[in-house]
Amino acid sequence: AGDALSIEGQDTCPFYTAVTIRGVKVGESPEWLRTRLESIGLRPINNIVDITNFVLHELGQPLHAFDAAKVDGGICIRNARESEIFSALDEEDYKLNASDCVISDHSGSALALGGVMGGQDSGVTESTSDVILESAWFDPPSIRRTARRLNLHSDSSYRFERGVDPQGVTSASAFAANLIIRLAGGSIEGPTIHAGAPPELSGTVTLDPIRLQQLVGGAIPMNKAANALERLGLTSTGENQWQVPSYR
């Protein structure tokens, strides 16, 4: 990623990706997208923001779009400076502490409060022509502490503080970027840049047949138990051994 993207606070943000899309035309979303958002109680804003909200609810991965013209140089993910003031999208100012995750540019200006809310001055507007699309994985306890201390909650913080699938970060970004090009025009500039690495959350668990029978009194035979685990996305790796997918 070079100078374009760096992570200084890997304890709060282990993995961050960004893709630049140039030449977009910000405007009203098509009817199908507006209808889908309205059906779950969301107010359509513009095609770029609507796409990030749609992908959030479709795939469970929060995204954020910055106006590239308002980003000075590259993006730096860092811990906030003690008592740093952040102006959020809700038009309120918040006093941060050193445990909060901030997305800033090379000037040091805070563009977003990582995993919680975008900044008042860096968001997409009608005059935006180039966007930087963020997709990342934030540490759940860190997001939970920040959101609760500031009493600042969003659809993004709701998901990040409960944990999202780290293996879904890049696929959600690609899905959203494709939708942006389809609905707002423009073209992707270069590859998606990334810093850090997604945490490995999957692993193997053992299904103990004796313990299973003790718990359910023989009501669930092993073949039905195996079928239930497969429906949950687990994969058999040997006798009574099951690989758990990262989204579980």
Side-chain angles (χ1 to χ4, degrees), residues 64 66 86-90 110-113 116-123:
H64 186 67
F66 299 105
F86 171 68
S87 300
L89 271 173
D90 64 358
L111 305 171
L113 186 57
V116 180
M117 190 169 287
Q120 192 174 339
D121 300 323
S122 61

Side-chain angles (χ1 to χ4, degrees), residues 152-168:
L152 180 59
H153 302 280
S154 64
D155 285 340
S156 292
S157 68
Y158 181 89
R159 282 159 181 78
F160 279 129
E161 64 183 70
R162 286 160 177 78
V164 301
D165 178 13
Q167 300 303 319

Side-chain angles (χ1 to χ4, degrees), residues 176-238:
N178 181 264
L179 272 176
I180 288 171
I181 289 165
R182 276 178 50 199
L183 303 184
S187 58
I188 294 174
E189 180 183 85
T192 299
I193 58 175
H194 60 272
E200 183 59 59
L201 297 186
S202 60
T204 302
V205 293
T206 301
L207 174 62
D208 184 341
I210 297 174
R211 179 70 175 141
L212 175 65
Q213 299 316 311
Q214 288 173 341
L215 285 172
V216 300
I220 303 177
M222 284 298 289
N223 64 328
K224 283 195 173 180
N227 185 257
L229 292 175
E230 287 170 351
R231 291 202 306 272
L232 289 169
L234 279 71
T235 307
S236 175
T237 59

Side-chain angles (χ1 to χ4, degrees), residues 3-28:
D3 294 334
L5 180 60
S6 62
I7 298 179
E8 293 175 4
Q10 288 204 328
D11 54 334
T12 55
C13 179
F15 184 49
Y16 190 97
T17 73
V19 59
T20 301
I21 304 165
R22 298 203 180 276
V24 301
K25 182 164 180 55
V26 178
E28 189 178 61

Side-chain angles (χ1 to χ4, degrees), residues 28-29 33-54 57 89-91 126 155:
E28 189 178 61
S29 294
L33 180 52
R34 298 198 310 272
T35 301
R36 289 201 179 190
L37 294 176
E38 288 166 348
S39 72
I40 55 172
L42 292 181
R43 178 176 60 89
I45 297 171
N46 60 53
N47 48 9
I48 306 296
V49 175
D50 292 351
I51 286 167
T52 62
N53 283 330
F54 173 71
H57 289 88
L89 271 173
D90 64 358
E91 301 184 349
E126 298 282 315
D155 285 340

Side-chain angles (χ1 to χ4, degrees), residues 24-128:
V24 301
K25 182 164 180 55
V26 178
E28 189 178 61
S29 294
E31 185 181 359
W32 71 263
L33 180 52
R34 298 198 310 272
T35 301
R36 289 201 179 190
L37 294 176
E38 288 166 348
S39 72
I40 55 172
L42 292 181
R43 178 176 60 89
I45 297 171
N46 60 53
N47 48 9
I48 306 296
V49 175
D50 292 351
I51 286 167
T52 62
N53 283 330
F54 173 71
V55 174
L56 163 64
H57 289 88
E58 181 80 2
L59 300 181
Q61 170 66 44
L63 305 168
H64 186 67
F66 299 105
D67 184 335
K70 298 170 184 173
V71 178
D72 182 4
I75 288 176
C76 174
I77 299 91
R78 60 173 173 82
N79 286 74
R81 296 181 290 271
E82 197 65 42
S83 299
E84 180 175 356
I85 301 299
F86 171 68
S87 300
L89 271 173
D90 64 358
E91 301 184 349
E92 298 286 338
D93 289 345
Y94 296 89
K95 184 183 285 189
L96 308 182
N97 68 28
S99 66
D100 298 321
C101 179
V102 166
I103 315 302
S104 73
D105 59 17
H106 282 188
S107 74
S109 299
L111 305 171
L113 186 57
V116 180
M117 190 169 287
Q120 192 174 339
D121 300 323
S122 61
V124 171
T125 66
E126 298 282 315
S127 61
T128 299

